[in-house]
Amino acid sequence: TYTVTLEATNAGGSDTETKTGYITVEAASSGLVFETGTLANVGSSWQTVTLTNTYTSPVVVCSSDNGPSGLPAVTRVRNASGNSFEVMVQNPSGTSLTGYDVHYLVVEEGVYTVADHGVKMEAVKATSVQTANNTSWIVETRTYQNSYTNPVVVGQVMTYNDSDWSVFWASNGTRTAPPSATAFAAGKNVGEDTNRTRANETIGYVVIEQGNGTVNGISYAAALGSDIVKGPDDTSTGYTYSFGSIPTASTAIVSAAAMDGNNGGWPVLYGSSPLTSTSLL
């Protein structure tokens, strides 16, 4: 808080006036509320995650690793509000799971710009009423609220209206192409599950312009990876993506951007150390 003094001077002399505590300068803030984190030993029972910030309408996106057993795991989220959400990992065949690491990103729902917030991004909630599967890759068209040159989309099924699994996926409106600057679809899918009916679910997704930057002092890298990921039976070492150096990188979020294979799938982080300062696995 600053005291301000005005001095006026001309040929006739000078005078001053002082205002005490007249100007208050607050710490710089983009107005963008978000946080990231990593959870250890997540299993098939719900656990509550307490957040640093309190949100009016949080958008939560999670990514798990492939776990100690290597069994398929879908990250499920529910009851995201205020300063918490609940999370678990679910095996599509119903096997009980333990020991999975889950990375998470939480952003206040809204539209953000470089001029006002230091980043071009939007965080959105929507209702997914269709369920794509390997017999019908039906898409749900969405509309960007910003204009993007190279959009990067990550997302999450954020409710548990149906206890049967489903996962987020995005495309440009066709199964095999990722979201583009002019076309975007996002919803849920169940791949080759023979039970293809699901209740409506809320999906949350974050769209960000590709590139590196810093928001509220936190460095990030956002990119659409090259088309190299296959199924877990096709690799014993995972698939590596490199990015510009982020020395303190601690959280990684991955989402499906289209489906080359008709059976479908979803990405996971690979191995016990999937993230370095320059790459993720």
Side-chain angles (χ1 to χ4, degrees):
T1 301
Y2 294 88
T3 295
V4 176
T5 299
L6 171 68
E7 180 177 359
T9 302
N10 64 14
S14 64
D15 196 8
T16 62
E17 182 172 354
T18 298
K19 298 285 190 180
T20 302
Y22 191 66
I23 298 293
T24 298
V25 180
E26 297 183 351
S29 174
S30 70
L32 169 54
V33 182
F34 77 106
E35 61 194 89
T36 63
T38 305
L39 309 168
N41 198 32
V42 179
S44 297
S45 298
W46 291 105
Q47 67 181 71
T48 299
V49 181
T50 301
L51 302 169
T52 300
N53 298 297
T54 298
Y55 298 82
T56 301
S57 180
V59 174
V60 179
V61 182
C62 296
S63 293
S64 77
D65 66 0
N66 62 325
S69 66
L71 290 173
V74 174
T75 306
R76 300 297 304 268
V77 168
R78 70 179 185 185
N79 295 336
S81 65
N83 69 339
S84 67
F85 67 93
E86 292 180 87
V87 66
M88 74 168 186
V89 288
Q90 180 178 17
N91 174 255
S93 298
T95 302
S96 181
L97 303 175
T98 59
Y100 285 70
D101 290 342
V102 172
H103 296 222
Y104 65 86
L105 165 69
V106 186
V107 186
E108 184 68 70
E109 185 176 14
V111 181
Y112 304 97
T113 64
V114 174
D116 292 333
H117 309 97
V119 62
K120 183 184 287 187
M121 183 176 74
E122 59 195 77
V124 180
K125 291 179 183 176
T127 301
S128 175
V129 300
Q130 304 289 347
T131 303
N133 57 76
N134 70 333
T135 65
S136 176
W137 282 100
I138 190 167
V139 298
E140 295 176 278
T141 302
R142 311 291 175 185
T143 301
Y144 296 125
Q145 298 180 63
N146 274 324
S147 295
Y148 300 92
T149 303
N150 296 295
V152 176
V153 181
V154 294
Q156 173 73 45
V157 176
M158 281 185 56
T159 48
Y160 192 69
N161 298 331
D162 201 312
S163 60
D164 288 333
W165 74 282
S166 61
V167 294
F168 175 89
W169 77 297
S171 72
N172 75 342
T174 60
R175 174 175 62 84
T176 57
S180 70
T182 57
F184 169 41
K188 63 185 186 299
N189 85 81
V190 295
E192 55 188 316
D193 196 326
T194 55
N195 174 13
R196 302 183 180 103
T197 301
R198 295 293 188 273
N200 294 351
E201 301 280 10
T202 297
I203 59 170
Y205 59 85
V206 176
V207 185
I208 185 171
E209 187 69 65
Q210 180 169 295
N212 287 45
T214 302
V215 179
N216 292 0
I218 299 177
S219 299
Y220 71 88
L224 174 67
S226 57
D227 188 5
I228 59 174
V229 170
K230 298 181 180 179
D233 293 338
D234 297 300
T235 181
S236 60
T237 58
Y239 301 93
T240 300
Y241 287 106
S242 299
F243 51 83
S245 179
I246 300 179
T248 58
S250 59
T251 304
I253 302 296
V254 290
S255 277
M259 299 285 178
D260 278 346
N262 187 64
N263 282 335
W266 64 93
V268 297
L269 301 169
Y270 192 89
S272 58
S273 301
L275 182 62
T276 74
S277 61
T278 57
S279 67
L280 64 85
L281 191 62

